[in-house]
Amino acid sequence: QSVLTQPPSVSAAPGQKVTISCSGRSSNIGNNYVSWYQQFPGTAPKLLIYENDKRPSVIPDRFSGSKSGTSATLGITGLQTGDEADYYCGTWDSSLSAGVFGGGTKLTVL
Amino acid sequence: EVQLVESGGGLVQPGGSLRLSCAASGLTFSDYGMSWVRQAPGKGLEWVANIKKDGSEKYYVDSVKGRFSISRDNAKNSLYLQMNNVRAEDTAVYYCARGAKSFGYWGQGTLVTVSS
């Protein structure tokens, strides 16, 4: 049982938009920055979004992040088959004094 | 180019010990907090521990407290994870990552298998 809650899977057609939610509580998302990671099978995760809504320079602007209260959302527009991967949200939990991740969401581009 | 290269993984018996290392290059290592994150086979990511850039503070997930110890040597650009009294549930790929709370770069991971 992960501290942060993500849907196990989402799907959409190529070219469409998808959102992935990440739900937490005040001790984690509510009072700390959220990051998002993309992971392809057999490879290390890659940072997509940091500080809720900032993108590293190498990440295309098709990827976006937002946060409201104790929830965060990753958005991906112009879906490509190459976006099929697992996506994780992560943050710090001030009550646990520990890092926490969501359980991960598998994106399928139909 | 930032590179993080883990080593030290392998097969270890329950109750045994293992020391993981992470060699960093392409960054000013002493400017960054560092973390270990693990992923059990077929499972999601789990944060394990982090250490501040000067080594002054360390934090651990509850399940490894008292058994694992994170450390660093800024002169050698290296991060370590000493794993003692390992359990079957510690079986995972262990990643070294730059950052204490957000992880901008990751190593390729090293597999730790705990089995008799």
Side-chain angles (χ1 to χ4, degrees):
Chain A
Q1 188 82 351
S2 301
V3 173
L4 305 180
T5 301
Q6 296 181 234
S9 63
V10 296
S11 62
Q16 296 301 303
K17 174 181 178 178
V18 71
T19 59
I20 297 173
S21 60
C22 176
S23 176
R25 52 177 60 190
S26 60
S27 60
N28 43 63
I29 293 178
N31 285 282
N32 291 283
Y33 288 126
V34 176
S35 299
W36 289 91
Y37 305 89
Q38 177 190 58
Q39 186 181 34
F40 296 105
T43 69
K46 175 183 177 181
L47 179 67
L48 287 178
I49 299 290
Y50 66 100
E51 292 182 4
N52 304 332
D53 57 8
K54 295 180 173 60
R55 279 179 294 106
S57 58
V58 296
I59 303 300
D61 59 6
R62 299 189 300 108
F63 295 89
S64 64
S66 65
K67 188 182 98 168
S68 179
T70 59
S71 293
T73 301
L74 174 69
I76 311 173
T77 59
L79 276 172
Q80 303 171 2
T81 55
D83 295 330
E84 287 201 337
D86 293 323
Y87 293 83
Y88 294 90
C89 59
T91 187
W92 185 255
D93 192 299
S94 302
S95 293
L96 297 174
S97 292
V100 291
F101 286 102
T105 298
K106 182 176 182 60
L107 169 63
T108 301
V109 181
L110 303 166
Chain B
E1 178 194 5
V2 174
Q3 282 200 314
L4 301 173
V5 180
E6 301 94 338
S7 60
L11 177 63
V12 58
Q13 292 188 340
S17 297
L18 209 58
R19 189 195 196 203
L20 306 184
S21 298
C22 171
S25 60
L27 75 165
T28 304
F29 185 69
S30 58
D31 281 351
Y32 296 95
M34 297 293 294
S35 299
W36 288 98
V37 177
R38 67 185 178 183
Q39 187 169 34
K43 302 298 185 182
L45 302 175
E46 180 181 35
W47 176 86
V48 175
N50 69 12
I51 184 169
K52 284 204 168 182
K53 54 187 179 181
D54 61 359
S56 60
E57 292 184 34
K58 306 171 185 180
Y59 296 93
Y60 301 89
V61 67
D62 280 350
S63 59
V64 309
K65 284 179 182 175
R67 300 188 300 121
F68 291 9
S69 178
I70 188 172
S71 62
R72 64 189 297 159
D73 185 335
N74 286 345
K76 295 183 177 179
N77 292 338
S78 293
L79 177 72
Y80 306 101
L81 185 68
Q82 177 66 42
M83 306 170 61
N84 296 330
N85 191 21
V86 296
R87 304 166 180 168
E89 54 265 35
D90 296 321
T91 294
V93 173
Y94 285 73
Y95 295 102
C96 161
R98 189 196 81 174
K101 298 181 179 180
S102 179
F103 315 116
Y105 290 92
W106 299 64
Q108 84 289 349
T110 187
L111 176 62
V112 172
T113 302
V114 182
S115 176
S116 54

